[in-house]
């Protein structure tokens, strides 16, 4: 069997299972995976730098790349958009997400952070019903309930001494869900670099006032981590934004965030020696099972239409 036949077979089966195109699935998986690796670099850097300072450097590097790309491709008119109000709102959401995630990573293990933020797809589906009038059947409502049950298990006794980290993670979770709905609201025809530019402006607007007192020289041995962090976050932003905007429905792509649990557990153990507790493992299992079942139900729905 040649490469083309294998590729076509994989694409066909992936589309059949999820109801989404292979391209959308691949790009959104790359995006979430990039975020997972970025979280590792953020956690390493948080041992020597304030979270706000990390976000400032990240935002400035990404902003330079994005502005350069927009000017090269479209000139000054590339900064104009009929969706500018929604882009500002999404920028504010991503600013809260980034600030919450980086601060949470400085306080709690990666796997525990993901356990909380993994409730974002369920919140996104609920919001899609309210604001986008998307249809969600009984089975997916059951999935949402099971998913939130998993999150409640995660928010067990092991978090009693880490309340600040939990609050940051919860704030990030809500903003992830709202940001997902705004992407769907704006649609797939928005210019992608501009789609991502506004979030970085929001990140800088929030963190520059917080980070100015924390500015310090970057050690030479950490410079590559800052650059890597900025590139990974930018790849994550572009991949997840494009995949979400081009998906057939929110419920069919939202659960792909669970690829992060694989990376989170593996990288958390490799770099920080973190081993998920029993309650964390049970909670993650429930949340992921509920999310994967949502994909299954979305596929069943697509077959009938």
């Amino acid at each position: 069997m040649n490469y083309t036949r294998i590729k076509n077979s994989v694409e066909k089966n992936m589309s059949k299972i999820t109801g989404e195109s292979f391209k959308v699935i691949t790009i959104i998986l790359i995006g979430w995976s990039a975020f997972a690796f970025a979280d590792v670099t953020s956690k390493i850097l948080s041992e020597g730098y304030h979270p706000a300072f990390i976000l400032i450097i990240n935002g400035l590097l990404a902003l330079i790349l994005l502005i350069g790309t927009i000017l090269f491709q479209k000139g000054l008119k590339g900064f104009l958009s009929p969706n500018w109000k929604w882009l500002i709102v999404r920028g504010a959401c991503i600013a809260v997400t980034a600030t919450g995630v980086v601060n949470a990573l400085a306080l709690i293990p990666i796997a525990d952070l993901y356990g909380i933020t993994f409730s974002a797809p369920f919140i996104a589906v609920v919001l899609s019903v309210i604001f986008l009038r998307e249809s969600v059947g009984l089975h997916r409502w059951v999935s949402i309930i099971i998913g939130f049950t998993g999150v409640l298990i995660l928010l067990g006794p092991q978090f009693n001494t880490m309340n600040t980290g939990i609050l940051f993670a919860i704030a990030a979770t809500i903003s992830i869900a709202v940001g997902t709905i705004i992407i769907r609201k704006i649609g797939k025809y928005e210019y992608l670099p501009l789609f991502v530019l506004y979030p970085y402006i929001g990140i800088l607007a929030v963190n520059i006032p917080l980070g100015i007192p924390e500015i310090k020289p970057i050690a030479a041995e950490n410079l590559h981590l800052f650059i890597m962090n900025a590139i990974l976050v930018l790849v994550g932003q572009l991949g997840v934004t494009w995949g979400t905007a081009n998906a057939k429905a929110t419920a069919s792509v939202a659960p792909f965030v669970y690829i992060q649990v694989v990376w989170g557990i593996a990288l958390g153990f490799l770099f920080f020696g973190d081993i998920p507790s029993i309650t964390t493992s049970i909670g993650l299992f429930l949340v992921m099972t509920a999310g994967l079942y949502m994909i299954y139900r979305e596929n069943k729905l697509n077959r009938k239409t």
Side-chain angles (χ1 to χ4, degrees), residues 1-11 22:
M1 185 178 289
N2 59 36
Y3 171 76
T4 302
R5 186 176 298 177
I6 294 174
K7 178 176 177 290
N8 291 338
S9 177
V10 171
E11 291 181 3
F22 182 76

Side-chain angles (χ1 to χ4, degrees), residues 164-229:
T164 303
I166 295 171
L167 291 176
F168 277 121
I170 290 174
T173 301
I174 296 172
S175 58
I176 289 170
V178 175
T180 299
I181 297 305
I182 293 175
I183 292 174
R184 300 284 296 167
K185 180 72 176 179
I186 295 173
K188 62 183 179 180
Y189 299 109
E190 181 59 79
Y191 180 44
L192 185 59
L194 192 61
F195 225 144
V196 179
L197 178 71
Y198 278 79
Y200 280 106
I201 294 174
I203 289 170
L204 289 173
V206 170
N207 287 281
I208 285 177
L210 300 173
I212 287 178
E214 307 297 336
I215 291 177
K216 59 190 288 189
I218 297 175
E221 62 269 22
N222 292 325
L223 182 60
H224 72 286
L225 288 174
F226 276 99
I227 295 173
M228 189 183 303
N229 181 263

Side-chain angles (χ1 to χ4, degrees), residues 82-142:
N83 299 310
W84 64 271
K85 292 181 180 179
W86 284 113
L87 290 172
I88 290 175
V89 176
R90 179 171 180 263
C93 289
I94 300 301
V96 174
T97 299
T99 303
V101 166
V102 174
N103 279 276
L105 283 168
L107 299 168
I108 60 178
I110 293 177
D112 290 344
L113 168 68
Y114 289 166
I116 298 172
T117 56
F118 281 174
S119 61
F122 304 112
I123 298 174
V125 172
V126 173
L127 293 176
S128 72
V129 174
I130 298 173
F131 296 106
L132 302 180
R133 307 301 185 204
E134 292 186 0
S135 176
V136 176
L138 176 62
H139 289 270
R140 279 188 284 175
W141 282 118
V142 172

